[in-house]
């Protein structure tokens, strides 16, 4: 523990922070309301680089206590080589004050958290989805988001149903996705039937 | 010439699009054009919505996600060992860097002891891959500025590196050669000779590259003073890697927080103060020489030995033991079907990829699959530097700025 980290942790504890350790890395959990003040302080104190902001969904983890989501702010002090993980716990539907107005680097990171977990950031100048299409319903990195063979729902009722999709690919069905499959190349459904075995007489 | 606006002075995105302004007697309007996602100079599927005031860029907004593959979600549903299949598919140009970052995080969770030989081989391959990645940067970067020939020169040497990778891993990309606790297998015969031959030839090739562009008037006038990023702006937008070092930010995780035995090798972290496209370009050319240095040192110290952690919790037992030992069969079965269970906890190990800070944040709930995988990818966050570098500059300079920030779209969209 360096002097920088000791001072930072002591200051964050006056803001209501709770300190924990995991594999030698210090984490400080803060109330959401204090995040702007904490970031301003840490940036001045020497944590000059905002490495990352990301979310974790603890739903379904029986040993986890407290709010469903954690948003982690990964800060790095370049001169001291010190890293600090700042955490904010939020329930589903709660929002966090955005730090983008004070630190541009947070722009994409907060948008990614919003896109993947549906956690909103108050005061973000441009809180749009970052990666997924506009009409995708749901938040992919939440633990209750369906994967695999479950149909993927889109906003206007359109959805990707794996079985129909495969049928469309084989040209057996128009497919609800609009993908016409073999028919597009001029292959009719008769032609995609497996050819009958004529034997090896010839 | 371009000047970077101070952070915060650019208009908020989406606010003054198509705003009219009067200039002298003329009524002028901003024109909005769309660049990409399928455009050769956008290095993949980067789409930019650009508002132009004549030839000048008034506002710019990247639209990404065209290559989103959901790796993070998929990795939550695979065992820790299987994660190696996905990590290298993100940044396909510096795939070994991603593999290394991932296995380092899992090894920290498992407290694995990676044998020295495996660490040296990892460093050799990662650094060769860094050279290959910078060669693509060199070739495509100059291609974007209209120089066709350097692309073929760059690809010529990259091909030799890929041949070496093919010799070791069997494939030319998406290697998946690293394992938690070591490597999947030892090096083939002839590897050392092939690398030594490459190490001999590469300095001459770099000299040749420099002759191709360094004194070229067109190249100099297109890059010098273009897309300037100050040290403050670099910190403001979170820029890392060679682009940040060209802006005077002395940040290289190979030095700051050494991993895989990087502390054993002597090499320089090159930094420049100017932060323009010219220095962003040159710094990568110079870094290739440093990477060659590291490979040379690692190869000299490469000694025979095991390439896997002997710990049976992590590594598969040797094949021959399966025929005589019931216990080995059980371990083999458990590892293949279920995988290992790291203790509860969260880890993050930062590494230096060819593009910047790269690390995997892993959350373990004690199960055999990671509870949450978060890749801190450099390309995505470096892309935030595009707005300060481009706004206020010429449209043609935008292409130079994209090229010198060197994003890989697989690394952006994940």
């Amino acid at each position: 523990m360096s002097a920088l980290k000791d001072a930072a942790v002591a200051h964050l504890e006056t803001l209501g922070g709770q300190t924990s350790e995991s594999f030698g890395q210090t984490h400080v959990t803060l109330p959401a309301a204090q995040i702007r003040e904490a970031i301003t302080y840490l940036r001045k104190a020497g944590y000059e680089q905002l490495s990352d902001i990301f979310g974790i969904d603890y739903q379904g983890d029986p040993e986890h206590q407290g709010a469903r989501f954690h948003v982690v702010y990964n800060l790095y002090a370049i001169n001291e080589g010190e890293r600090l993980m700042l955490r904010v716990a939020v329930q589903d539907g709660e929002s966090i004050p955005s730090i983008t107005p004070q630190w541009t680097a947070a722009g994409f990171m907060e948008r990614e958290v919003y896109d993947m977990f549906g956690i909103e950031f108050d005061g973000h100048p441009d809180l749009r989805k970052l990666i997924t299409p506009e009409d995708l319903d749901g938040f992919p990195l939440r633990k209750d988001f369906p994967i695999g063979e479950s149909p993927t729902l889109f906003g206007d009722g359109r959805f990707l149903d794996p079985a129909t999709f495969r049928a469309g690919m084989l040209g057996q069905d128009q497919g609800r996705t609009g993908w016409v499959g073999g028919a597009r190349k001029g292959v009719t459904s008769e032609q995609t039937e497996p050819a009958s075995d004529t034997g090896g007489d010839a | 010439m371009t000047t970077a606006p101070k952070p915060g002075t650019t208009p908020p995105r989406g606010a003054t699009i198509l705003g009219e302004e009067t200039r002298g007697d003329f009524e002028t309007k901003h024109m909005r054009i769309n660049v990409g996602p399928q455009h050769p100079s956008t290095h993949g599927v980067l789409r930019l919505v650009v508002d132009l005031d004549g030839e000048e860029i008034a506002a710019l907004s990247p639209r990404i996600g065209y290559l989103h593959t959901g790796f993070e979600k998929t990795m939550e549903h695979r065992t820790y060992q299987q994660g190696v299949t996905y990590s290298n598919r993100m940044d396909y140009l510096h795939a070994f860097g991603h593999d290394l970052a991932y296995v380092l995080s899992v090894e920290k969770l498992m407290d694995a002891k990676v044998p020295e030989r495996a660490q040296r081989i990892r460093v050799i391959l990662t650094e060769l891959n860094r050279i290959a990645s910078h060669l693509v940067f060199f070739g495509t970067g100059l291609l974007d500025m209209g120089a066709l020939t350097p692309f073929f020169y760059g690809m010529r040497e990259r091909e030799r590196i890929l041949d070496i990778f093919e010799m070791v891993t069997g494939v030319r990309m998406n290697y998946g050669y690293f394992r938690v606790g070591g490597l999947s297998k030892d090096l083939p015969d002839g590897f050392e000779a092939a690398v030594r031959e490459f190490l001999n030839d590469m300095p001459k090739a770099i000299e040749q590259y420099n002759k191709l562009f360094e004194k070229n008037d067109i190249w100099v006038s297109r890059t010098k003073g273009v897309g300037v990023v100050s040290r403050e702006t670099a910190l403001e937008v979170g820029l890392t890697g060679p682009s940040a070092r060209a802006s005077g930010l002395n940040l290289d995780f190979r030095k700051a927080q050494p991993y895989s035995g990087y502390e054993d090798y002597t090499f320089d972290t090159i930094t420049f103060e100017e932060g323009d496209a010219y220095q962003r370009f040159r710094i990568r050319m110079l870094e290739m020489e440093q990477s060659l240095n590291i490979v040379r040192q690692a190869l000299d110290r490469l000694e025979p030995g095991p390439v896997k952690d002997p710990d049976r919790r992590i590594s598969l037992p040797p094949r021959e033991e399966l025929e005589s030992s019931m216990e080995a069969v059980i371990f083999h079965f458990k590892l293949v079907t279920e995988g290992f269970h790291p203790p509860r906890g969260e880890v993050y190990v930062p590494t230096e990829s060819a593009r910047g800070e790269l690390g995997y944040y892993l959350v373990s709930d004690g199960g055999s699959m990671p509870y949450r995988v978060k890749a801190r990818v450099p390309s995505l966050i470096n892309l935030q530097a595009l707005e300060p570098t481009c706004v206020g500059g010429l449209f043609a300079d935008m292409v130079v700025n994209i090229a010198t920030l060197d994003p890989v779209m697989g690394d952006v969209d994940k």
Side-chain angles (χ1 to χ4, degrees), chain B residues 176-413:
Chain B
Y177 175 63
F178 297 167
R179 291 286 181 276
V180 178
L183 306 167
S184 72
K185 54 180 184 286
D186 207 343
L187 294 171
D189 294 341
F191 170 81
E192 205 176 320
V195 176
R196 288 225 185 264
E197 204 190 329
F198 175 76
L199 286 175
N200 266 336
D201 299 347
M202 192 59 193
K204 279 173 256 165
I206 293 178
E207 222 170 278
Q208 216 171 21
Y209 304 150
N210 289 339
K211 270 187 201 154
L212 276 173
F213 74 93
E214 226 174 24
K215 287 178 186 149
N216 184 325
D217 268 353
I218 301 171
W219 179 75
V220 172
S221 56
R222 285 209 63 182
T223 53
K224 214 156 201 173
V226 168
V228 178
V229 182
S230 63
R231 189 179 187 275
E232 287 67 40
T233 315
L235 287 170
E236 178 69 36
V237 299
L239 194 64
T240 51
S243 306
R245 289 194 285 276
S247 301
L249 199 63
N250 189 356
L251 176 63
D252 184 336
F253 284 99
R254 290 175 293 175
K255 286 260 192 218
Q257 293 180 347
Y259 50 92
S260 275
Y262 268 109
E263 63 273 21
D264 297 351
Y265 311 118
T266 30
F267 63 99
D268 298 327
T269 303
I270 300 154
T271 53
F272 288 122
E273 294 303 320
E274 290 86 344
D276 54 0
Y278 179 80
Q279 300 296 30
R280 283 202 291 275
F281 208 99
R282 280 190 58 218
I283 201 160
R284 288 181 171 87
M285 303 306 289
L286 295 168
E287 275 193 3
M288 283 202 265
E289 286 167 18
Q290 297 304 322
S291 293
L292 286 176
N293 266 343
I294 299 172
V295 174
R296 201 169 288 127
Q297 292 171 44
L299 203 59
D300 287 342
R301 297 179 200 179
L302 193 62
E303 273 161 26
V307 293
K308 275 181 195 172
D309 187 349
D311 190 346
R312 287 290 155 85
R313 289 179 310 141
I314 303 167
S315 302
L316 291 176
R319 179 68 187 80
E320 56 275 13
E321 263 185 48
L322 294 184
E323 306 187 350
S324 54
S325 157
M326 188 60 208
E327 203 191 340
V329 175
I330 293 168
F331 270 111
H332 188 277
F333 181 76
K334 286 290 268 183
L335 277 174
V336 170
T337 55
E338 189 182 334
F340 44 77
H341 293 250
R344 275 182 79 87
E346 311 192 355
V347 288
Y348 177 76
V349 183
T351 66
E352 189 71 25
S353 102
R355 287 169 185 79
E357 179 187 343
L358 167 69
Y360 280 79
Y361 190 96
L362 297 179
V363 180
S364 161
D365 65 343
S368 67
M369 295 182 271
Y371 188 77
R372 166 90 167 101
V373 181
K374 164 69 196 179
R376 192 277 179 205
V377 284
S379 294
L380 171 66
I381 291 154
N382 287 358
L383 213 54
Q384 295 194 107
L386 208 54
E387 208 181 322
T389 49
C390 291
V391 173
L394 295 177
F395 183 71
D397 289 343
M398 185 187 79
V399 175
V400 178
N401 288 329
I402 299 172
T404 52
L405 286 172
D406 194 22
V408 162
M409 293 317 287
D411 202 27
V412 172
D413 295 337

Side-chain angles (χ1 to χ4, degrees), chain B residues 135-175:
Chain B
L135 283 173
V136 175
F137 162 84
F138 160 76
T140 56
L142 284 168
L143 192 66
D144 290 346
M145 291 174 225
L148 195 62
T149 317
F151 184 76
F152 298 108
Y153 279 70
M155 288 294 141
R156 185 186 62 189
E157 262 67 49
R158 180 170 178 268
E159 198 58 36
R160 294 186 56 183
I161 298 177
L162 292 190
D163 282 347
I164 293 172
F165 290 164
E166 192 177 356
M167 187 183 195
V168 177
T169 67
V171 281
R172 288 161 54 86
M173 65 191 294
N174 305 337
Y175 312 108

Side-chain angles (χ1 to χ4, degrees), chain A residues 105-186:
Chain A
F108 274 8
M109 305 168 187
E110 288 183 339
R111 278 178 65 189
E112 193 185 344
V113 176
Y114 167 66
D115 191 354
M116 293 296 165
F117 293 92
I119 299 166
E120 290 190 14
F121 291 87
D122 294 332
H124 192 293
D126 182 28
L127 192 66
R128 281 181 291 122
K129 287 182 163 206
L130 183 69
I131 290 169
T132 59
E134 286 86 3
D135 56 347
L136 176 78
D137 256 355
F139 305 104
L141 282 181
R142 285 190 177 200
K143 285 287 175 187
D144 50 10
F145 188 81
I147 56 157
E149 287 286 286
S150 325
T152 308
L153 294 170
F154 287 85
D156 57 355
R158 188 166 62 89
F159 64 93
L160 284 178
D161 168 30
T164 325
F165 184 75
R166 273 195 301 274
M169 290 285 279
L170 294 170
Q172 293 157 351
D173 189 275
Q174 281 289 93
R176 268 182 251 185
T177 62
W179 169 256
V180 201
R184 188 179 265 181
K185 292 180 228 149

